[in-house]
Amino acid sequence: MKFGLFILISLALAPLHAEKTDQEIGQRINVSIVDGIAITEGVIRVRRRHENDMDFAKYNPFYWEGRRAWFKVEDYTPRGEDRIIFTLRTEWPQDYTPNRGADFSAIYRGDPLGHETERSKFAINARMTHLGGYTHFKQELNALSFHQNPDDLKIGKQLTFEFRFFNTETHPGWAKQKQRNAHNLFAYYSEFFRIKIGTPGLLIDNLASPNQPATPQHYTGGWTTTPTTRVEPWSALQQHAHNLHPKNAQAFLTGRTWFHTDMVTGKHLSDPSDDKPSVFFAEMEAARRGLAGKSYNQHSCNSCHIHNGGALLPALGKPIHTTLLRLTDPNSPHGTQLQTDGDAPEGTLTIARYQTHTVTLDDGSTVQLSKPIFHIDGQPTPAISPRTPPAIIGAGLLQAVPEKTIHALAKKSSGQPRLVDGQIGRFGWKAGQPTVDSQNQSALRQDLGVKKLNSPALAQLEAYVSLLGVPPRTNPEHPDVILGEKIFHTLNCQQCHTPTLRTGDSKFPELAQQTIHPFTDLLLHDMGDSLADSGPSPLARKWRTAPLWALKNKRHAAHDHIGTFRPGDTKVTYQNTLKAANQNPIQLLHDGRARTLAEAILWHSGEATDSIKAYKALPKKDRTALEAYLWDL
């Protein structure tokens, strides 16, 4: 499409920020209206601190064992009654004493940027009523509550609430857990939850205005979209889908343990930011020990997908184990992938140097592009395809996009679906795997050297990867972001980076019938010689359109600043940590060559040639606005 033509098309577009209905955001689960009562249910992942504090986003020791909790909200206001009932169920019995027990807070009065007590301040704070078994509790906002808080408890207002837990140490499992891991905890908080009074369903937060509902544009992953991970932004890619169904909660948590299992030693490998590491019981560790073969690239999934994002390339000459080297020569002595670690590694992968050249834009600005030159055992190797680890969020949603949708997109562009065993490939840089499970099994086999994992473990790992939530947009209403979105369309970027898709059916009800914004068409596109693999492969110039959602969060995941912001520091606010995380280094494209968005854009050619020509002609303010939009996704 010629530049002038798609300018006209972009000017004729409908408003990019039209309000969306619930149906347009996606089908909702865990919600119902029964006899006029608006019912909302949800899953709690117990937290060490409040939402606006350090240590909120981490996974605590034994997160997979006895730590599940669920809640139900019954809102009678649609029936004209001043009553909202909250019930809580916990897997671990609570220490119900005169001074503590399952507690409840509602009507947020705090300031997320205030001092410690202000950040978690609520108007209502109460002990919940014990209903039985020390695992079932109730709290009611009654007519008195409505009378005392008339402005906060109106139909249509956002209501924020939180639960607090005190797991009893008399439970038979406590001594065993404490003996195995001294870091074990008994006191927890829930997330902050938000509902709109009179309407069932959970809402996400609004980063700029904590008591105002987030607009529909924030919901990148439909109702799977997670609230903002405020104070530890590097953990934003690790949160469960906000609409996680209770029946899938345990599989998600246990699946995470497999993602963090060292396939050599059987130990739990914590994230770099974890100050209270998780430890498996001895029998669990023994059952997972020795699953890796004699050669592999890494010991665990999270060793490459750090904080569920990617991993940065090391310095020149340093061994590389997180970027994988596919070999496109069928006669390669190393097979299809170089295994760099283990008892029998096939070779040492390094970056010998960077090949650079300078691109001059129409206004005279220059951008230096650099390409890493990989060596095996100190020698250049032809016919290679380097692959950096992508972020893993949203995979279940992408699998749920109907094949007919992808075929329809192919008819509108020069992209093509890749067929793998009769199914459309969706995952990997070359769309080589059609499902989350097949992608997981391929990574286990090729990257971790695991020949076989039992079916329950594979199902749990599939649940974890599929049910990770997608982080929200940050500030889609900002003028620079709105301008950048228009420029994105003017450049015709949406032709491949399709902003909006709709999922179909899914084995996970959380993912079905959701309107999502992944910015990919899941098709292969010819990106020209500049990005092509070396060697004669027919796919050398072709790449699956990389999803752009959560681009900012992938950057944040690269570095956790644990040396700057120590765990437990009550003085740290999200303003401090976001500022630092926004400066994290990032490496984009399949081999990590692009250090900036401008570099990533300018490496495109092939089908993107006209768009790149138009990009070079943009004034600086428009290029800046385009980046503001992309970093907001």
Side-chain angles (χ1 to χ4, degrees):
M1 185 180 293
K2 298 300 182 183
F3 182 40
L5 179 58
F6 57 70
I7 286 180
L8 294 175
I9 290 177
S10 71
L11 293 175
L13 288 172
L16 296 173
H17 289 291
E19 288 295 307
K20 298 181 178 67
T21 65
D22 280 4
Q23 183 178 9
E24 289 172 319
I25 295 175
Q27 173 180 292
R28 306 195 76 165
I29 65 168
N30 302 334
V31 302
S32 59
I33 298 179
V34 180
D35 295 332
I37 304 167
I39 299 174
T40 301
E41 298 180 82
V43 171
I44 295 169
R45 180 167 79 75
V46 293
R47 315 293 184 127
R48 195 188 316 173
R49 290 293 300 160
H50 298 283
E51 178 177 292
N52 295 310
D53 295 336
M54 287 288 291
D55 305 329
F56 165 78
K58 297 180 174 71
Y59 282 76
N60 293 305
F62 298 108
Y63 61 84
W64 63 89
E65 184 163 310
R67 300 302 194 270
R68 289 181 298 167
W70 309 266
F71 68 90
K72 181 179 182 179
V73 182
E74 296 167 282
D75 179 359
Y76 287 74
T77 61
R79 298 196 337 184
E81 299 181 38
D82 290 343
R83 182 163 55 137
I84 305 176
I85 297 175
F86 301 80
T87 53
L88 171 70
R89 290 185 181 271
T90 64
E91 187 173 17
W92 196 290
Q94 298 303 294
D95 188 3
Y96 194 77
T97 71
N99 298 317
R100 67 186 188 194
D103 294 346
F104 174 81
S105 296
I107 306 179
Y108 185 63
R109 290 275 194 261
D111 176 4
L113 295 174
H115 61 70
E116 180 186 5
T117 55
E118 281 187 339
R119 294 202 295 268
S120 54
K121 185 177 180 180
F122 287 86
I124 295 175
N125 299 278
R127 292 283 310 282
M128 301 188 77
T129 300
H130 174 226
L131 297 181
Y134 300 100
T135 60
H136 192 192
F137 303 89
K138 172 185 173 181
Q139 180 66 38
E140 181 174 342
L141 300 185
N142 53 25
L144 179 60
S145 304
F146 278 74
H147 176 72
Q148 293 174 334
N149 303 278
D151 294 334
D152 299 289
L153 296 178
K154 293 178 179 177
I155 286 181
K157 292 282 287 188
Q158 176 173 291
L159 175 65
T160 302
F161 57 96
E162 179 195 55
F163 301 96
R164 293 187 293 283
F165 310 84
F166 299 89
N167 287 355
T168 177
E169 297 176 56
T170 63
H171 186 278
W174 179 262
K176 181 181 177 183
Q177 289 188 357
K178 194 70 174 179
Q179 183 178 18
R180 182 63 176 170
N181 187 350
H183 293 295
N184 198 26
L185 304 170
F186 73 93
Y188 298 100
Y189 305 86
S190 76
E191 304 97 316
F192 285 5
F193 292 106
R194 300 162 182 86
I195 59 170
K196 182 179 180 180
I197 297 176
T199 305
L202 292 176
L203 305 176
I204 63 171
D205 65 317
N206 186 326
L207 184 65
S209 302
N211 282 314
Q212 296 298 318
T215 61
Q217 286 72 36
H218 288 79
Y219 288 80
T220 309
W223 296 116
T224 75
T225 306
T226 62
T228 305
T229 305
R230 289 173 177 260
V231 191
E232 295 162 299
W234 37 86
S235 297
L237 301 174
Q238 297 183 295
Q239 311 306 311
H240 65 70
H242 200 40
N243 62 345
L244 183 65
H245 196 283
K247 73 176 184 180
N248 290 325
Q250 187 60 54
F252 176 88
L253 294 170
T254 306
R256 186 181 190 271
T257 69
W258 283 109
F259 199 82
H260 286 71
T261 292
D262 185 320
M263 299 296 178
V264 176
T265 67
K267 296 179 182 294
H268 186 290
L269 287 186
S270 296
D271 296 311
S273 57
D274 287 343
D275 61 307
K276 297 184 186 301
S278 289
V279 181
F280 291 144
F281 288 120
E283 58 270 25
M284 192 171 177
E285 188 176 300
R288 300 181 179 208
R289 185 180 302 129
L291 292 174
K294 293 185 177 180
S295 60
Y296 43 80
N297 295 102
Q298 274 291 358
H299 291 199
S300 69
C301 302
N302 69 314
S303 294
C304 280
H305 300 281
I306 298 171
H307 298 120
N308 286 359
L312 299 176
L313 292 166
L316 292 177
K318 297 290 185 182
I320 302 172
H321 301 291
T322 53
T323 287
L324 310 173
L325 196 66
R326 296 287 173 84
L327 302 155
T328 59
D329 181 354
N331 298 317
S332 169
H334 305 300
T336 59
Q337 181 170 310
L338 181 71
Q339 307 293 332
T340 59
D341 203 353
D343 293 335
E346 298 173 339
T348 300
L349 179 65
T350 59
I351 299 173
R353 60 187 176 86
Y354 282 88
Q355 185 180 76
T356 64
H357 70 279
T358 300
V359 175
T360 301
L361 308 183
D362 290 10
D363 64 2
S365 303
T366 59
V367 179
Q368 186 184 67
L369 304 185
S370 60
K371 173 184 175 180
I373 304 301
F374 294 91
H375 281 187
I376 300 176
D377 294 333
Q379 299 298 318
T381 304
I384 63 172
S385 181
R387 312 283 179 86
T388 59
I392 63 170
I393 49 97
L397 291 167
L398 294 180
Q399 182 178 327
V401 174
E403 289 201 350
K404 65 180 181 180
T405 298
I406 303 172
H407 284 299
L409 290 170
K411 293 178 180 178
K412 297 178 182 179
S413 74
S414 51
Q416 65 181 78
R418 182 179 180 184
L419 293 181
V420 181
D421 297 328
Q423 301 180 74
I424 291 180
R426 302 160 188 259
F427 304 109
W429 287 102
K430 302 284 189 180
Q433 297 297 334
T435 67
V436 172
D437 181 55
S438 65
Q439 175 64 27
N440 288 344
Q441 293 199 49
S442 174
L444 286 166
R445 183 173 58 255
Q446 296 190 73
D447 307 346
L448 304 182
V450 176
K451 302 305 179 186
K452 187 172 179 61
L453 207 60
N454 64 52
S455 295
L458 289 172
Q460 292 157 356
L461 185 59
E462 180 187 15
Y464 174 68
V465 174
S466 296
L467 293 172
L468 287 165
V470 179
R473 299 263 313 259
T474 302
N475 193 3
E477 293 82 20
H478 192 282
D480 289 346
V481 173
I482 294 173
L483 174 60
E485 184 175 13
K486 292 178 180 177
I487 293 166
F488 184 84
H489 284 262
T490 297
L491 297 178
N492 206 30
C493 301
Q494 85 290 344
Q495 183 74 7
C496 302
H497 292 285
T498 305
T500 303
L501 296 172
R502 179 87 177 177
T503 67
D505 295 334
S506 171
K507 67 193 298 181
F508 300 107
E510 299 92 332
L511 310 178
Q513 309 303 327
Q514 299 297 309
T515 299
I516 61 175
H517 305 286
F519 292 83
T520 178
D521 57 8
L522 297 172
L523 299 171
L524 292 176
H525 290 272
D526 186 336
M527 290 289 95
D529 290 333
S530 58
L531 286 176
D533 295 331
S534 59
S537 168
L539 294 178
R541 292 163 52 107
K542 295 183 178 180
W543 301 94
R544 182 202 67 159
T545 305
L548 298 180
W549 56 5
L551 191 63
K552 63 186 180 303
N553 307 105
K554 297 171 191 177
R555 181 176 205 159
H556 296 164
H559 182 31
D560 53 39
H561 300 275
I562 194 168
T564 306
F565 307 114
R566 63 174 179 81
D569 190 340
T570 59
K571 296 180 180 179
V572 176
T573 69
Y574 77 85
Q575 204 169 53
N576 308 132
T577 54
L578 268 178
K579 182 178 180 181
N582 283 336
Q583 302 304 312
N584 281 353
I586 192 166
Q587 295 172 352
L588 302 167
L589 302 177
H590 66 282
D591 56 3
R593 68 178 67 183
R595 300 156 296 183
T596 64
L597 291 177
E599 290 180 41
I601 293 168
L602 290 168
W603 272 111
H604 287 57
S605 60
E607 295 176 31
T609 298
D610 286 347
S611 294
I612 301 311
K613 181 179 179 181
Y615 173 79
K616 291 180 179 179
L618 290 174
K620 182 178 180 180
K621 67 177 182 63
D622 287 356
R623 299 197 304 271
T624 300
L626 176 62
E627 293 200 10
Y629 172 60
L630 293 173
W631 286 127
D632 189 70
L633 299 181

